[in-house]
DNA sequence: CTCAGTGCAAAGGATTTGCATGCCG
DNA sequence: CGGCATGCAAATCCTTTGCACTGAG
């Protein structure tokens, strides 16, 4: 249990560390919720990881967190729009920070180990995509909130491990 | 339990009914599995629905199916590449036939009720998408198998129900 | 003092598995 | 006959919930 977490990617970002918490606090307040130490710890772990984490990974990253509280607070953060639950191929729910806090991106989902990495696509394509999706939604009377573009396959590790 | 299922969409398709089973049988054989009545029933239910179904929906559509066998056989069919497990917003796994049997498409996922509808996008965009994704995969040493483009929002029913 | 947040332990619920039986090959 | 498929029931395991405690306002 409690898996390890990859280091903070390249090391970019970082700039808006304080800004991050300010924004989170704002969103929580808007939802009449407090920004408690436990919730702050969750946000920090997710921000440091820079990719969607399972609850176990989150717990493993900061053992001051109790399992039930982690689940409960991730729920609170999700309702406040601070984090999103990401569903992959395996049976574990993963959480990541809202895109407003990290930038719009997509996921590379490993069909073997279930891990998730982020990537982005060209802005032009992204725009064309948005237009096309909006049209499709209109056709179906569907009120689109956001889109999800994932690439499913083998991560470098699993591919190297020969499957 | 056991939810109802929407009627076979428009009524199109149908043409390759026999062909469908032939293909499924082939894939199962390639995986050294038999095409038993129970498995055939699953395929038929999924084909008739024309959209991803939860296990409960599948069971409700044909009560000759036992729950454990349904789960087991969906697993067999998935390993044989006949069906795919689709994960949405709620806690229920859904299954749909492989795209080779139904055509490439995307999903409109309702964030309220979890239901899923299919849609397609322009071929040009699809191509641009594929190219861009291939490039991203290459950059990350990721061996892409397929992509997944979903639109998340409110289905017509939930939107009409005022949320 | 009051109420939200927290932890522990127990409950919940979709999915999986053990085992005995039936059928296809 | 041998092995796989099937059903039932029991077991699993991630996630949620009940309850008592603690700290902030």
């Amino acid at each position: 249990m409690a898996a390890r977490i990859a280091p903070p990617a390249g090391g970019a970002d970082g700039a808006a560390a304080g800004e991050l918490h300010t924004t989170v606090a704002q969103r929580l307040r808007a939802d009449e919720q407090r920004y408690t130490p436990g919730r702050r710890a969750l946000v920090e772990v997710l921000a440091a990881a820079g990719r969607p984490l399972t609850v176990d990974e989150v717990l493993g990253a900061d053992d001051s967190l109790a399992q039930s509280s982690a689940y409960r607070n991730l729920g609170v953060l999700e309702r406040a729009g601070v984090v999103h639950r990401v569903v992959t191929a395996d049976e574990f729910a993963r959480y990541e920070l809202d895109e407003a806090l990290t930038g719009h991106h997509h996921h590379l989902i490993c069909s073997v180990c279930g891990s998730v990495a982020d990537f982005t696509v060209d802005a032009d394509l992204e725009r064309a995509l948005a237009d096309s999706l909006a049209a499709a939604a209109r056709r179906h009377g569907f009120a689109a909130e956001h889109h999800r573009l994932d690439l499913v396959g083998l991560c470098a590790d699993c591919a190297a491990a020969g499957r």
Side-chain angles (χ1 to χ4, degrees), chain A:
Chain A
M1 332 85 227
R4 55 182 165 42
I5 299 183
D13 174 277
E19 198 184 309
L20 166 67
H21 292 299
T22 306
T23 307
V24 172
Q26 255 170 25
R27 295 197 179 189
L28 281 172
R29 253 198 309 282
D31 203 36
E32 305 194 296
Q33 295 288 338
R34 300 185 203 156
Y35 198 18
T36 66
R39 294 170 187 176
R40 189 175 177 109
L42 289 176
V43 170
E44 261 159 14
V45 169
L46 291 178
R51 66 184 174 82
L53 296 183
T54 63
V55 174
D56 254 16
E57 288 174 325
V58 172
L59 292 175
D62 185 336
D63 50 13
S64 77
L65 296 166
Q67 187 192 48
S68 62
S69 295
Y71 275 109
R72 251 190 293 242
N73 283 329
L74 285 170
V76 169
L77 291 171
E78 185 178 32
R79 274 187 295 285
V82 174
V83 306
H84 290 291
R85 183 184 202 152
V86 179
V87 117
T88 68
D90 57 28
E91 64 258 58
F92 305 102
R94 283 155 206 269
Y95 288 88
E96 70 178 343
L97 291 178
D98 178 66
E99 295 201 325
L101 305 170
T102 60
H104 181 62
H105 61 272
H106 303 287
H107 295 141
L108 294 168
I109 300 177
C110 179
S111 57
V112 173
C113 71
S115 68
V116 185
D118 293 350
F119 76 98
T120 55
V121 300
D122 182 78
D124 288 336
L125 175 62
E126 195 68 67
R127 196 153 35 242
L129 200 53
D131 290 347
S132 179
L133 292 179
R138 215 174 305 123
R139 268 200 306 281
H140 290 261
F142 191 85
E145 288 168 349
H146 60 89
H147 68 264
R148 199 159 76 182
L149 173 61
D150 303 323
L151 201 49
V152 182
L154 274 60
C155 69
D157 287 350
C158 287
R163 237 223 141 237

